[in-house]
Amino acid sequence: MNKFGGIWTFEKIKILEKYAKAYLEIMKDRPYWKLIYFDGFAGSGDIEIDGVLDEKIIHGAAKKIVSIQEPRLFDIYYFVELNKKKAESLTKSLEQVRKGGVYVVSEDCNKKLNDLAAFLKSKGKTHKALAFVDPCGMEVNWSSIECLKDLPVDLWILVPTGLGPNRMLTRTGKISDSWFSKLESFFGINRKLIISNFYTFNETIDLFGAREVQVSKNVKAVEKIKQLYTNKIKEVFKFVSDPYELENSTHCIMYHFFLASNNKTAVSIANDIIKKAKNDKYGTDFN
Ligand SMILES: C[S@@+](CC[C@H](N)C(=O)[O-])C[C@H]1O[C@@H](n2cnc3c(N)ncnc32)[C@H](O)[C@@H]1O
């Protein structure tokens, strides 16, 4: 079983489930489109979470989506989970819910996002995909998102704005080469641009003419990471929803969660769901 998260895990899955139901409602009148559900970080089936919920073990997103019966099904359910044991456990757990059309593979999501893009390209306009990309950290390379450009994909993505990238962008600006490489592959921009986005340099000269450069990290780095990533996503998708902020118990933002799509209606539906979730952050009405 996956052991992680808190209330935000529950909120995120609720948002996704609501959107998937709305998506299938629209698609029920469009049977000519084959629908793929793609989950790039599928987990093991159930999740043990900390926090304020009575339930400590909840069904993961995979089980929730596969359990949706009405108004129509996806034609293909494709789950990617790098960890072999978790993938096996997920396979067993999903078999109890649905027999046909469900695939679980134990591979890297980055590779499988590229495969998804190639598959959709090869199918012309016959297939559409709802994708859920739910990493713990910075596992998703920017190039794996970029490959979805101009494809009929609605992508829900969890961006770890308050975690890995914020920590790697150190306060002093001293960043190792390996961290810079990680930041570059995550944001899809080069080192120079990363520096100019997050740091300011002030040169001071003391009484005796000695020069000193003071480096300051942007005080709103998490917000800046969100902005930067959203702007990059807008290079790939025409529309991006408002983000839903996932916070830890001390109200620090850990992730931003949002939908990217080439369909305006899709994003307006996502915005409605997110607005409702924000209004009821710790309530029970958001069902
Ligand atoms: C946040 S959990 C996903 C939870 C899941 N969405 C659910 O609702 O239960 C992230 C999962 O991704 C897996 N993982 C980590 N790196 C991966 C990668 N590069 N490709 C695919 N899966 C990966 C981890 O083993 C972990 O189970």
Side-chain angles (χ1 to χ4, degrees):
M1 187 180 312
N2 264 12
K3 285 192 186 186
F4 60 87
I7 181 82
W8 72 84
T9 305
F10 178 77
E11 293 164 354
K12 176 184 67 180
I13 294 175
K14 265 281 173 225
I15 289 172
L16 175 77
E17 193 187 2
K18 279 202 138 206
Y19 182 81
K21 285 181 178 165
Y23 181 89
L24 292 169
E25 186 62 41
I26 290 172
M27 294 302 176
K28 81 168 193 267
D29 299 323
R30 294 160 172 84
Y32 37 85
W33 277 325
K34 293 263 179 243
L35 303 182
I36 303 169
Y37 178 74
F38 175 97
D39 182 340
F41 293 83
S44 57
D46 289 322
I47 307 170
E48 191 175 329
I49 58 175
D50 303 325
V52 298
L53 293 173
D54 291 340
E55 272 178 286
K56 292 288 175 223
I57 295 174
I58 61 167
H59 289 333
K63 259 186 164 172
K64 291 273 189 193
I65 300 296
V66 168
S67 300
I68 301 173
Q69 298 282 358
E70 301 284 342
R72 77 169 267 194
L73 304 178
F74 287 93
D75 297 279
I76 299 171
Y77 298 83
Y78 198 87
F79 297 98
V80 186
E81 168 54 55
L82 189 59
N83 181 299
K84 276 205 164 56
K85 282 210 166 117
K86 288 184 189 174
E88 279 165 19
S89 154
L90 182 65
T91 306
K92 282 187 194 136
S93 140
L94 295 181
E95 270 168 7
Q96 292 165 13
V97 189
R98 186 170 303 289
K99 295 279 178 248
V102 179
Y103 304 85
V104 179
V105 295
S106 183
E107 289 204 51
D108 186 333
C109 175
N110 289 293
K111 172 169 186 332
K112 289 292 143 190
L113 279 167
N114 280 275
D115 290 353
L116 172 69
F119 179 82
L120 289 171
K121 274 178 201 153
S122 76
K123 292 292 174 189
K125 291 193 172 164
T126 56
H127 286 59
K128 283 187 184 292
L130 170 58
F132 177 44
V133 170
D134 180 30
C136 288
M138 296 167 74
E139 294 90 346
V140 183
N141 296 331
W142 174 251
S143 56
S144 312
I145 301 299
E146 204 173 24
C147 73
L148 301 175
K149 191 171 172 61
D150 296 329
L151 291 173
V153 177
D154 284 7
L155 170 73
W156 277 99
I157 183 162
L158 187 75
V159 187
T161 44
L163 300 173
N166 189 32
R167 285 191 199 130
M168 287 183 170
L169 294 161
T170 62
R171 234 181 310 156
T172 59
K174 284 189 184 129
I175 302 174
S176 68
D177 282 347
S178 66
W179 279 15
F180 259 127
S181 305
K182 188 72 194 163
L183 288 162
E184 283 173 332
S185 61
F186 176 76
F187 284 116
I189 58 176
N190 64 28
R191 184 183 289 220
K192 216 171 150 192
L193 266 176
I194 292 171
I195 295 171
S196 67
N197 267 285
F198 291 99
Y199 294 98
T200 47
F201 297 86
N202 283 317
E203 193 179 67
T204 50
I205 303 171
D206 74 10
L207 270 177
F208 305 111
R211 290 169 188 272
E212 197 188 335
V213 177
Q214 282 183 331
V215 183
S216 325
K217 180 178 168 184
N218 187 325
V219 285
K220 293 192 171 165
V222 174
E223 180 62 24
K224 185 74 195 170
I225 292 168
K226 180 205 84 182
Q227 258 175 27
L228 185 58
Y229 206 87
T230 311
N231 289 342
K232 289 291 292 177
I233 289 263
K234 283 181 182 161
E235 291 172 12
V236 178
F237 291 91
K238 291 197 180 86
F239 308 100
V240 177
S241 76
D242 300 331
Y244 185 78
E245 293 169 355
L246 301 169
E247 297 170 346
N248 65 12
S249 53
T250 56
H251 299 295
C252 291
I253 294 175
M254 305 175 71
Y255 299 96
H256 281 88
F257 185 45
F258 53 83
L259 177 79
S261 174
N262 292 315
N263 185 305
K264 202 174 179 180
T265 308
V267 165
S268 113
I269 291 169
N271 280 338
D272 285 348
I273 295 172
I274 287 169
K275 192 171 164 198
K276 189 141 191 275
K278 280 181 182 169
N279 286 342
D280 189 37
K281 205 151 195 182
Y282 297 102
T284 50
D285 294 344
F286 183 61
N287 289 315

